[in-house]
Amino acid sequence: MFIIKIGGSIITDKSIKDSFKKTVVDRLSAEIKKADEEIIIVHGAGSYGHIPAKKYNLNQGYKNNEQTLGFALTHANVQKLNTMVLNSLHENNIPAVSIPPHAIMELDDHEPTDMNYDIFRDLLKQGFTPVTFGDVILDKKLGFSICSGDLLMQLLAEQFEPEKAIFVIDEDGLYTSNPKTDENAEFIETINLERLKQLSTPFDNHADVTRGMKGKIDTIKNIVNLGINTVLLNGNKPDRLYKVLIGEKTKCTTVNRS
Amino acid sequence: MFIIKIGGSIITDKSIKDSFKKTVVDRLSAEIKKADEEIIIVHGAGSYGHIPAKKYNLNQGYKNNEQTLGFALTHANVQKLNTMVLNSLHENNIPAVSIPPHAIMELDDHEPTDMNYDIFRDLLKQGFTPVTFGDVILDKKLGFSICSGDLLMQLLAEQFEPEKAIFVIDEDGLYTSNPKTDENAEFIETINLERLKQLSTPFDNHADVTRGMKGKIDTIKNIVNLGINTVLLNGNKPDRLYKVLIGEKTKCTTVNRS
């Protein structure tokens, strides 16, 4: 089985409010269907979540009453995005059922507490494809905060020990430095945990409310440390997700433990 | 605190696929806001749920693979309805947050098993208005079945012991027989549990996948039996919900234990 995180920048234009990239999501849905594997999907909140979450400053926790409505608005907006992702999966005959994180877990000062994994397990057993997503969530200490898709990837990987954890992003994979700002950045095909640790610093600079690439690298370290191979691939390039799912060679970065 | 069930026939036209009654829902949202009480909302799935659930025969449990996609499609469609209800509540400044039943409970041969009430409690504590809804759900024995809004009313009433359980329906309340088919039907202002038991039979005839009025009467008996006063009122008539919430006299049926 595989756990796939489809990044918010792949399914939306992160700089434009409520901009769903239906063509890209439809193609990725078709690739997932064609691969015909047991899969859990995590998707980012993209512009549907990040823009209102930033506006109401939700990741800092409860400060004023206006944020309460802001939390509610943000969740409903992410639920709208989730419905569009579900519709695309259904159009490709994937029986996807969503599980919003706020209904199955809470955080405590940004740290996860008990999560209900049974619903994922029972949905899989019944032949469904569980879909969860980055969203706003209650936090025991802060009132509320944000549960990122990357955090969900880590928790689900720990629990389900997939064959691979796959991050579908808007770059071909990892580079020696940020390819968006450094033309000398070199692409990395395979990297081990030790080398990844030395690499993490250059990726700090496109952070968002969920800590951007720095947070993602930390998540990947934690997943790989469990002995789960992790792949980063470009979701804007056709067939790369499909090829990784069926074990064929394609452009991507593979992170191994040793 | 109050628990309000807004019937599927109030928020949709049950005979027409995906027909959301925005004007009615907006008015009810405004009435709830004006009353300014602690509230849990349950809404029906209406035509968004009943039409596909019937098409795929979901309440009978798993029979064939086609139903798996049918379950997924039905849930996504009910989630779409739920997002519209949330939007209406938000436009009226109610910080409504949804909790889909399939994420917090399973059934076992239609009977509820452990439900996670903590998320309702924690949302209320943080100043939110929890919203749940009738939907498709996993069933340990049957694979899947349907969790009606009425069942959710009963479970939440047991757990939270509200001041009143309120059913917002498309009739003024209860009658001595079915007012839609019998012109001699007499309106009932107040009724006790004993008399309600004698009344239940005439209401069998507008059943849907969740057993229609017969199921509702059974639910009401169970709630009233806990000592919780239950009110049925017409959601198509302005101000009735508001008046019941603030304790003013209006046309409705009140069911008391004795």
Side-chain angles (χ1 to χ4, degrees):
Chain A
M1 81 103 84
F2 297 87
I3 307 183
I4 303 174
K5 159 84 191 292
I6 307 179
S9 57
I10 282 294
I11 63 176
T12 74
D13 181 331
K14 275 191 148 176
S15 63
I16 302 171
K17 201 171 168 287
D18 300 357
S19 49
F20 181 59
K21 293 182 176 172
K22 182 162 165 49
T23 313
V24 176
V25 177
D26 284 349
R27 181 178 43 72
L28 292 171
S29 296
E31 292 183 31
I32 291 168
K33 177 64 187 175
K34 202 165 72 167
D36 193 25
E37 292 284 348
E38 189 177 59
I39 284 168
I40 296 176
I41 296 171
V42 179
H43 67 76
S47 61
Y48 288 75
H50 291 275
I51 292 176
K54 201 171 172 186
K55 179 179 169 191
Y56 292 101
N57 204 14
L58 298 179
N59 203 28
Q60 304 307 310
Y62 179 81
K63 303 269 191 277
N64 62 62
N65 205 34
E66 196 198 345
Q67 287 176 302
T68 308
L69 188 61
F71 177 106
L73 286 167
T74 303
H75 168 64
N77 217 38
V78 176
Q79 179 168 298
K80 196 169 128 194
L81 170 66
N82 173 251
T83 305
M84 290 188 282
V85 173
L86 290 178
N87 288 343
S88 172
L89 291 162
H90 297 163
E91 284 162 19
N92 285 280
N93 292 310
I94 297 167
V97 175
S98 75
I99 306 170
H102 78 276
I104 53 162
M105 69 182 291
E106 294 189 19
L107 299 180
D108 188 357
D109 200 11
H110 301 294
E111 292 301 319
T113 59
D114 282 350
M115 174 160 169
N116 174 15
Y117 296 99
D118 291 347
I119 178 69
F120 289 92
R121 203 168 282 117
D122 293 345
L123 283 171
L124 286 169
K125 207 160 64 187
Q126 194 61 44
F128 293 106
T129 300
V131 178
T132 188
F133 46 88
D135 200 359
V136 288
I137 184 168
L138 293 185
D139 185 303
K140 289 181 200 304
K141 183 168 178 213
L142 305 172
F144 40 69
S145 58
I146 287 173
C147 174
S148 70
D150 287 343
L151 177 60
L152 291 165
M153 278 298 277
Q154 184 180 319
L155 295 170
L156 291 167
E158 274 171 29
Q159 192 66 28
F160 290 97
E161 300 179 343
E163 192 178 324
K164 280 181 187 135
I166 301 171
F167 287 83
V168 180
I169 59 174
D170 64 350
E171 284 163 16
D172 289 343
L174 294 179
Y175 289 80
T176 50
S177 59
N178 187 344
K180 284 178 178 157
T181 52
D182 180 1
E183 60 180 24
N184 294 317
E186 277 174 47
F187 183 70
I188 299 167
E189 265 190 31
T190 312
I191 187 169
N192 66 21
L193 198 55
E194 207 46 49
R195 268 191 65 214
L196 184 67
K197 283 178 186 167
Q198 293 152 16
L199 258 191
S200 63
T201 331
F203 293 95
D204 282 356
N205 50 353
H206 48 302
D208 58 20
V209 286
T210 57
R211 303 191 306 134
M213 196 49 111
K214 171 76 169 73
K216 193 180 299 303
I217 297 279
D218 286 346
T219 303
I220 290 168
K221 280 184 209 160
N222 292 334
I223 295 174
V224 174
N225 205 28
L226 298 164
I228 299 163
N229 288 350
T230 299
V231 176
L232 295 96
L233 63 86
N234 195 334
N236 291 320
K237 303 290 169 68
D239 275 339
R240 292 194 183 170
L241 175 58
Y242 171 65
K243 285 186 175 167
V244 166
L245 286 171
I246 63 163
E248 261 186 34
K249 205 172 153 50
T250 187
K251 185 158 193 174
C252 64
T253 298
T254 303
V255 189
N256 303 311
R257 187 150 56 172
S258 54
Chain B
M1 80 105 81
F2 298 87
I3 306 184
I4 304 174
K5 158 86 191 287
I6 307 179
S9 57
I10 283 294
I11 62 174
T12 74
D13 181 331
K14 274 192 150 176
S15 63
I16 301 171
K17 199 170 168 290
D18 301 356
S19 49
F20 181 59
K21 293 183 174 171
K22 181 162 166 50
T23 314
V24 176
V25 177
D26 284 349
R27 180 179 42 73
L28 292 171
S29 295
E31 291 184 31
I32 290 168
K33 177 63 186 176
K34 200 164 74 167
D36 193 24
E37 291 284 348
E38 189 177 58
I39 283 168
I40 295 176
I41 296 172
V42 178
H43 68 75
S47 61
Y48 287 76
H50 292 275
I51 292 176
K54 202 172 172 184
K55 179 179 170 192
Y56 293 100
N57 205 15
L58 298 180
N59 204 28
Q60 306 305 310
Y62 179 80
K63 302 268 192 278
N64 62 63
N65 205 33
E66 198 198 345
Q67 288 177 301
T68 308
L69 188 61
F71 177 105
L73 286 167
T74 305
H75 168 64
N77 217 37
V78 176
Q79 179 168 298
K80 194 169 130 192
L81 171 66
N82 172 251
T83 305
M84 290 189 282
V85 173
L86 290 179
N87 288 343
S88 171
L89 291 162
H90 296 163
E91 283 162 18
N92 285 280
N93 292 311
I94 298 167
V97 175
S98 76
I99 306 171
H102 79 276
I104 53 162
M105 69 183 292
E106 293 189 20
L107 300 180
D108 188 358
D109 200 12
H110 301 294
E111 293 301 318
T113 58
D114 282 350
M115 175 161 166
N116 174 16
Y117 296 99
D118 291 347
I119 178 69
F120 289 93
R121 203 168 283 118
D122 293 344
L123 283 171
L124 286 168
K125 208 162 61 186
Q126 194 62 41
F128 293 106
T129 301
V131 178
T132 188
F133 46 87
D135 200 358
V136 287
I137 183 169
L138 293 186
D139 186 303
K140 288 180 200 304
K141 184 170 176 210
L142 305 171
F144 40 70
S145 58
I146 287 173
C147 174
S148 71
D150 287 344
L151 176 61
L152 291 165
M153 278 299 275
Q154 185 179 316
L155 295 171
L156 291 167
E158 275 172 29
Q159 192 66 28
F160 291 98
E161 300 180 342
E163 192 178 324
K164 280 180 187 138
I166 302 171
F167 287 83
V168 179
I169 59 174
D170 63 350
E171 285 164 14
D172 289 345
L174 293 178
Y175 290 79
T176 51
S177 58
N178 186 344
K180 285 181 176 155
T181 52
D182 180 1
E183 61 179 22
N184 295 317
E186 278 174 46
F187 184 70
I188 299 167
E189 264 189 32
T190 313
I191 187 168
N192 65 22
L193 198 55
E194 206 46 48
R195 268 191 65 214
L196 182 67
K197 284 178 186 167
Q198 293 151 19
L199 258 191
S200 63
T201 331
F203 293 95
D204 282 358
N205 51 352
H206 46 306
D208 58 20
V209 284
T210 57
R211 302 191 307 133
M213 197 50 112
K214 171 77 168 72
K216 194 180 299 303
I217 297 280
D218 286 346
T219 303
I220 290 168
K221 281 182 206 161
N222 292 333
I223 295 173
V224 174
N225 206 28
L226 298 165
I228 297 162
N229 288 349
T230 299
V231 176
L232 294 96
L233 63 85
N234 195 332
N236 291 320
K237 303 291 170 69
D239 274 339
R240 290 192 185 170
L241 175 59
Y242 171 65
K243 283 185 175 166
V244 167
L245 286 171
I246 63 162
E248 260 186 35
K249 206 173 151 50
T250 187
K251 184 157 193 174
C252 63
T253 297
T254 303
V255 189
N256 303 310
R257 185 148 61 172
S258 54

